[in-house]
Amino acid sequence: MKKIIGIFFLLIGLVSYSQQKGEKKEFTSLFETSNGTETPQYKDVIAFYKQLSTSHKEISIFEIGETDIGKPLHLVVFNSDGNSSIQSLKESTKTRILINNGIHPGESDGIDASMLLLRDITQNGSLKKKYQNVLIGIIPVYNIGGALQRNSHTRANQNGPKEYGFRGNTRNYDLNRDFIKQDTKNAATFAKIFHLLDPDIFIDNHVSNGADYQYAITHLFTQHNKLGGTLGVYLEKEMRPYIEQSLAQKSIDITPYVNVWGSTPEKGWTQFYDTPRYSTGYTSLFNTLGLMVETHMLKPYKIRVEQTYELLFSTLDFAVKEQINIKKIRTNALKQWLNTTSYPIAFSPDKNTPSTLSFKGYKAIYKESKITSGKRLFYDRTKPYTFPVSYYNNFLATKKVTIPKAYLLKQGWYRVVERLENNHIKFSRLKKDTLIKVTVQYIADYKTKKQAYEGHYLHHDTKVKKVTKNIQFKKGDIIIPTKQKGIRYIIETLEAAATDSFFNWNFFDTILQRKEGFSAYVFEDIAAEILAENPAIKKQLDDKINTDKKFASNPYEQLNFIYKQSAHYEKVHLRLPVFKLY
């Protein structure tokens, strides 16, 4: 009899667990039926969510915009109030979370974890009640073009699933380098979704490459000093510890993303610096708390998905616990930027203030390669150990700019205007030709990458020379005030020296080339007249000839020196079409 009663209570416990996890056969995923070894095709992911929305009024699914492959992006929304409309999403006062999956479709962990997440919440009354004040938005598969290039080989270092998508999209862009430049339709549509939801928290799910270690999951929070102010402190001191501790209570170890390349973890590492080309770097420009999940490529797929699933729940729990604080701190963050006079556009790690991590790694050695003529790095998994490492997660601003009242943009630069509009940047146009005293910017120096990078030859180490002048602006030229919600986006894109500025991404490259010139045999006589009429230029020329041997041996450059100081030299050469109004 006791045995029967024991079995009875055991069965009740199993039923209770099943109900808690929301395991119902009609919404069992391929991940589950394959025992954690497979991930569904794109069409099956969308079909899953459509069926879920049909059965549960809390789930809504939207088709938004377009991607490079010609298909729309889907946004799946959980709202305990019932079916959502676009308007209701805009008006909702709930804490908002946006989860992005499949930006690299070979890294499919988040795709499966998110399917389980929404299914389990909708099929469990206590979870629906728990998250009644949270709006959960999920992009099921962001890189649809890559997801349709399904294969079993391109992730050479990854332990499952059996089949997956390809990292590049249909135009071979890495979409996690496209958020600020928006070369792809995917990125433009993401901006629509992002500004529609205006998420308080953003999560992007990935799988890491790099070193081997004991952890199956790591986190990559947006760099907190770059996020800035009280919001950055809140991310580092409240959100990150909460999620780490929440996972620890579930017996899941997590560590910051192991940012080592060509080295081993015991030497320590610097926090990944997510500039605005990356998803969390972009979302931070609008004061969203952001993190990337990076599961470890060598761990079994089943474990990686399960731990991603648990991290998503831990983040939801944080959102519930901190819903009032999150809203307040985000609002204050915008006020802080609107009321400050300077803005940092470059950072570097502070080598004097590392954090110390107790890191769980494997003994790493170098031994003779059986394949090549050199040595190979080998992590010995039979020798796990824990050791303290320095984690350089504090950054210092190395370059700041004074924030102007407005930027002025000459008309005609429609690719820039399109991106301003995509990101809800407010601007107006001059109603008549107007002479305005502004700060004019010239490119004084820059370097350019020698290899193509995401469709560009990226500039860097850019330096700007500034002068104050009266400039004649035309009717239709654009005025962009900085006192608006998108202040950070405006500065990061229009300040040429900022890492991911429009200039550095080649939007203004036509200013780097002169359109007019001179024939030396003709200009000789003109140059003689210029020197006769301008003794100061003559002295500068003579001084340069006397002090610069290379210049002294180059007659053309001597003529060019005179030409560039004459009225014949075109005024727009090296002049940015972006002006500052203070």
Side-chain angles (χ1 to χ4, degrees):
M1 184 66 177
K2 289 182 179 178
K3 185 175 182 181
I4 293 174
I5 292 173
I7 293 173
F8 173 76
F9 281 111
L10 176 60
L11 289 173
I12 289 177
L14 289 173
V15 170
S16 174
Y17 176 80
S18 177
Q19 289 175 344
Q20 180 182 349
K21 289 297 183 183
E23 294 169 357
K24 291 190 176 180
K25 282 190 176 180
E26 63 267 29
F27 292 113
T28 301
S29 69
L30 176 62
F31 168 79
E32 293 167 306
T33 59
S34 68
N35 195 29
T37 61
E38 297 186 53
T39 190
Q41 295 184 46
Y42 167 73
K43 64 181 179 62
D44 296 323
V45 175
I46 302 306
F48 177 93
Y49 282 115
K50 286 182 175 178
Q51 292 167 10
L52 196 64
S53 67
T54 299
S55 299
H56 297 277
K57 63 182 178 62
E58 297 86 2
I59 301 296
S60 302
I61 185 166
F62 303 92
E63 292 185 355
I64 298 177
E66 193 179 3
T67 63
D68 281 356
I69 197 69
K71 297 180 182 293
L73 274 184
H74 286 88
L75 173 66
V76 180
V77 175
F78 166 81
N79 184 353
S80 64
D81 296 342
N83 290 332
S84 301
S85 64
I86 293 293
Q87 190 60 35
S88 69
L89 296 181
K90 292 179 180 178
E91 296 172 352
S92 177
T93 59
K94 295 185 177 186
T95 305
R96 303 151 179 259
I97 295 178
L98 178 60
I99 300 169
N100 192 39
N101 296 313
I103 191 169
H104 301 141
E107 305 171 17
S108 55
D109 306 24
I111 294 173
D112 285 300
S114 295
M115 292 166 68
L116 302 181
L117 178 85
L118 281 201
R119 180 201 65 190
D120 292 351
I121 292 174
T122 55
Q123 294 187 347
N124 184 287
S126 63
L127 290 178
K128 282 194 288 189
K129 184 177 180 181
K130 183 176 184 180
Y131 302 123
Q132 62 185 336
N133 290 320
V134 179
L135 203 65
I136 306 171
I138 293 176
I139 298 176
V141 182
Y142 179 48
N143 182 358
I144 300 171
L148 296 176
Q149 300 180 54
R150 199 167 170 90
N151 71 96
S152 300
H153 310 292
T154 52
R155 301 284 294 183
N157 296 335
Q158 188 166 291
N159 183 8
K162 291 180 180 179
E163 291 185 350
Y164 40 76
F166 180 64
R167 185 180 183 90
N169 85 334
T170 192
R171 294 167 60 205
N172 210 35
Y173 276 98
D174 184 334
L175 294 180
N176 200 33
R177 310 293 187 271
D178 193 41
F179 284 91
I180 202 73
K181 60 187 175 69
Q182 294 183 359
D183 285 336
T184 64
K185 292 181 179 180
N186 300 63
T189 300
F190 178 90
K192 291 181 182 178
I193 292 173
F194 178 79
H195 292 293
L196 166 64
L197 276 187
D198 187 18
D200 300 297
I201 297 173
F202 172 74
I203 303 171
D204 204 349
N205 287 310
H206 292 251
V207 180
S208 73
N209 291 308
D212 197 5
Y213 38 79
Q214 298 176 44
Y215 306 92
I217 191 167
T218 69
H219 59 65
L220 196 162
F221 284 85
T222 193
Q223 208 290 313
H224 61 95
N225 301 110
K226 175 179 64 65
L227 182 59
T230 55
L231 190 64
V233 173
Y234 181 74
L235 177 84
E236 180 69 4
K237 302 299 184 182
E238 301 294 335
M239 184 176 177
R240 180 167 78 90
Y242 179 95
I243 291 175
E244 290 174 338
Q245 292 163 18
S246 173
L247 290 174
Q249 291 170 4
K250 302 174 187 179
S251 299
I252 296 175
D253 289 329
I254 191 168
T255 195
Y257 173 71
V258 185
N259 187 30
V260 295
W261 299 93
S263 183
T264 51
E266 65 267 17
K267 297 178 181 178
W269 65 87
T270 300
Q271 181 180 8
F272 185 84
Y273 181 65
D274 53 337
T275 65
R277 73 188 64 172
Y278 301 104
S279 63
T280 55
Y282 167 82
T283 59
S284 70
L285 300 185
F286 300 93
N287 302 307
T288 293
L289 297 160
L291 74 146
M292 290 185 189
V293 180
E294 293 276 1
T295 58
H296 190 249
M297 59 184 177
L298 298 178
K299 302 302 184 288
Y301 187 61
K302 187 173 188 292
I303 292 174
R304 293 178 358 226
V305 171
E306 289 172 346
Q307 293 197 5
T308 300
Y309 169 91
E310 293 296 349
L311 184 144
L312 295 178
F313 266 114
S314 293
T315 307
L316 290 177
D317 292 343
F318 176 78
V320 170
K321 175 180 176 290
E322 292 288 308
Q323 55 187 335
I324 295 175
N325 284 335
I326 290 172
K327 294 287 188 184
K328 184 193 305 182
I329 292 172
R330 283 193 74 213
T331 299
N332 289 339
L334 177 58
K335 290 179 180 177
Q336 288 173 359
W337 289 117
L338 292 177
N339 290 304
T340 191
T341 57
S342 66
Y343 184 89
I345 59 171
F347 288 85
S348 65
D350 183 355
K351 294 295 185 180
N352 296 317
T353 60
S355 302
T356 300
L357 300 177
S358 182
F359 184 76
K360 295 182 178 181
Y362 296 117
K363 182 68 176 178
I365 60 171
Y366 287 89
K367 63 181 185 180
E368 295 297 328
S369 170
K370 296 179 180 179
I371 307 298
T372 72
S373 59
K375 293 183 180 293
R376 53 82 52 99
L377 175 62
F378 176 75
Y379 289 94
D380 191 343
R381 292 188 181 180
T382 67
K383 297 178 180 178
Y385 68 112
T386 302
F387 50 90
V389 298
S390 294
Y391 176 51
Y392 298 93
N393 61 325
N394 295 307
F395 281 60
L396 299 172
T398 55
K399 189 182 299 182
K400 294 182 178 182
V401 295
T402 301
I403 301 174
K405 292 179 180 178
Y407 292 89
L408 287 87
L409 175 68
K410 289 282 188 176
Q411 59 193 302
W413 300 92
Y414 62 90
R415 293 178 65 232
V416 172
V417 174
E418 286 173 355
R419 284 149 183 79
L420 296 177
E421 291 174 334
N422 286 347
N423 288 281
H424 294 201
I425 301 303
K426 298 176 182 177
F427 60 84
S428 60
R429 292 182 182 271
L430 290 175
K431 296 181 179 179
K432 61 180 181 179
D433 294 358
T434 310
L435 187 68
I436 305 176
K437 187 176 183 180
V438 293
T439 297
V440 184
Q441 303 179 96
Y442 294 91
I443 299 301
D445 193 19
Y446 65 98
K447 297 182 177 66
T448 304
K449 298 289 186 182
K450 294 182 178 179
Q451 291 186 333
Y453 178 78
E454 295 306 319
H456 294 256
Y457 286 85
L458 193 62
H459 301 316
H460 60 100
D461 295 340
T462 300
K463 294 179 175 59
V464 176
K465 180 180 71 174
K466 295 178 286 187
V467 295
T468 302
K469 289 183 180 179
N470 288 317
I471 297 291
Q472 183 69 47
F473 290 89
K474 302 291 187 181
K475 177 183 177 181
D477 287 345
I478 293 166
I479 302 178
I480 309 161
T482 54
K483 296 289 187 182
Q484 57 175 297
K485 186 175 181 179
I487 180 174
R488 302 185 68 181
Y489 177 90
I490 294 167
I491 297 171
E492 292 279 1
T493 56
L494 298 184
E495 285 290 340
T499 304
D500 281 332
S501 68
F502 286 144
F503 172 78
N504 281 337
W505 279 109
N506 311 122
F507 281 64
F508 300 129
D509 272 10
T510 50
I511 71 167
L512 302 178
Q513 180 186 14
R514 275 170 29 185
K515 301 303 183 289
E516 302 284 3
F518 62 87
S519 294
Y521 80 94
V522 177
F523 191 65
E524 280 272 356
D525 296 331
I526 300 172
E529 293 177 8
I530 292 171
L531 294 180
E533 296 171 0
N534 296 274
I537 296 177
K538 176 71 165 61
K539 184 177 186 309
Q540 291 173 21
L541 176 67
D542 291 342
D543 289 346
K544 191 167 179 61
I545 290 173
N546 292 330
T547 58
D548 187 335
K549 291 183 179 180
K550 187 175 180 181
F551 180 78
S553 64
N554 192 327
Y556 178 85
E557 280 304 315
Q558 294 165 32
L559 286 176
N560 191 42
F561 179 87
I562 302 166
Y563 176 82
K564 290 176 71 173
Q565 298 187 68
S566 74
H568 301 285
Y569 177 59
E570 59 203 72
K571 296 178 181 179
V572 295
H573 181 225
L574 299 177
R575 191 183 79 179
L576 284 163
V578 179
F579 306 83
K580 297 183 182 184
L581 182 64
Y582 287 98

